[in-house]
Amino acid sequence: MPDATDADGLTVGQASTRLGVTVRALHHWDEIGLARPSLRTAAGYRLYTAGDLERLHRIVVYRELGLGLDRIRDILDDSTADVPGALRAQRTQVGERIDRLQQLGAGLDRMIDAHERGLLLTIEQQAAVFGPRWNPDWPAQARQRYGDTTQWLQYAEGSASRGPQEWQAITDAVADFERTLGEAMDAGVTPGSPEANRLVERHREVFASYFPLTRQMQVCLGRKYEADPGFAAHYDGIRAGLATWFRRIIDAGARAHGIDPDTATWQ
């Protein structure tokens, strides 16, 4: 490597600044023989000539296009290399990556909307899925009350991927469960019996469409179903006394798993 003065070229640091790449990258390209400085000062400092910088500029451009270092070496060193073909292939890969990023962006937008709104259905879709008694203000009220909880985040993450058909399936599953619940009460199913305990487990499975429900959380919900006027009216509208009976079978099921309903907490 010929000797030179500092005026003959740029140092590694200067080339790094000029090109907008790291010194570490330049050292690596030097080590693998991709772009070596042509000159060295008497003091041993490496210097890049104008020709070296031209090669480095091309490397930077190809790297920004996503080409690997081995492919760049082929393009720079092989006069027969099909450069347009390589760039077309890279353009195809870039287009595919853009499509994936656009899909990711759309998914993120839905996730943001779900966290902020709860339901990604129009008011008309909500009425069609949940029925005429549905209040479209309920999701906003729920977010205001529970928006800082883990359960709201879990609910929103599920909601982000659901459309009318998915919500209709959940609504149908809930309605079927509540119908079975009323029939079991009519049949005289007793709290703590195997059939009652199966209903308690089915409730947890159906409710998991909203967020995972632990047994302790289920006990808290059972108390709310009985004590809250809105929930109590809903269940007692299916069968008189169903809210209390539902709470009782939940309590009995919890006891069967070593949980004291009187001390259960939301956890």
Side-chain angles (χ1 to χ4, degrees):
M1 179 179 293
D3 292 339
T5 65
D6 291 353
D8 293 322
L10 298 181
T11 65
V12 174
Q14 291 170 334
S16 169
T17 301
R18 174 79 62 86
L19 297 166
V21 299
T22 65
V23 170
R24 181 177 179 181
L26 292 178
H27 283 161
H28 177 61
W29 297 346
D30 182 3
E31 291 170 1
I32 65 175
L34 178 61
R36 287 175 172 162
S38 299
L39 300 177
R40 188 177 293 273
T41 67
Y45 294 107
R46 293 169 295 183
L47 296 177
Y48 291 96
T49 66
D52 297 334
L53 288 175
E54 180 181 351
R55 183 179 177 91
L56 286 171
H57 274 297
R58 295 183 69 192
I59 292 171
V60 171
V61 169
Y62 288 135
R63 284 292 286 163
E64 290 179 348
L65 293 175
L67 294 177
L69 295 181
D70 289 339
R71 192 71 185 94
I72 293 173
R73 187 197 306 273
D74 292 341
I75 291 174
L76 297 182
D77 296 342
D78 184 355
S79 60
T80 65
D82 181 10
V83 177
L87 294 179
R88 288 191 186 97
Q90 188 63 23
R91 178 65 182 86
T92 298
Q93 294 181 21
V94 169
E96 293 171 350
R97 191 180 310 159
I98 290 173
D99 289 341
R100 290 195 297 271
L101 289 174
Q102 288 176 336
Q103 293 173 9
L104 176 60
L108 289 172
D109 286 341
R110 286 185 62 83
M111 186 69 74
I112 292 169
D113 287 346
H115 278 287
E116 293 179 344
R117 294 166 46 197
L119 279 174
L120 302 186
L121 302 179
T122 65
I123 292 178
E124 293 76 16
Q125 288 172 332
Q126 292 178 42
V129 171
F130 303 119
R133 297 177 61 185
W134 174 260
N135 184 344
D137 293 333
W138 284 343
Q141 294 171 4
R143 181 183 185 276
Q144 185 175 12
R145 186 171 183 179
Y146 305 112
D148 59 348
T149 66
T150 299
Q151 287 71 43
W152 177 264
L153 297 180
Q154 294 168 330
Y155 167 77
E157 288 167 2
S159 179
S161 61
R162 291 174 184 153
Q165 291 183 339
E166 289 78 15
W167 279 115
Q168 187 64 63
I170 292 171
T171 301
D172 291 344
V174 171
D176 183 65
F177 168 73
E178 292 179 344
R179 182 167 51 253
T180 303
L181 198 67
E183 292 170 353
M185 180 182 166
D186 288 344
V189 173
T190 58
S193 66
E195 186 173 352
N197 289 341
R198 283 194 293 270
L199 283 172
V200 172
E201 290 306 304
R202 184 177 170 190
H203 173 247
R204 293 180 63 229
E205 293 171 1
V206 171
F207 197 92
S209 297
Y210 303 109
F211 55 79
L213 189 67
T214 67
R215 299 187 194 283
Q216 293 215 40
M217 292 162 63
Q218 187 182 30
V219 169
C220 295
L221 270 185
R223 299 300 169 89
K224 189 176 184 66
Y225 292 158
E226 182 182 37
D228 182 270
F231 280 115
H234 171 74
Y235 285 106
D236 290 344
I238 298 172
R239 294 290 193 284
L242 184 60
T244 296
W245 184 81
F246 192 12
R247 188 269 303 164
R248 289 177 60 210
I249 69 169
I250 290 175
D251 285 357
R255 291 190 188 95
H257 288 86
I259 298 170
D260 181 358
D262 294 330
T263 60
T265 58
W266 189 262
Q267 63 181 19

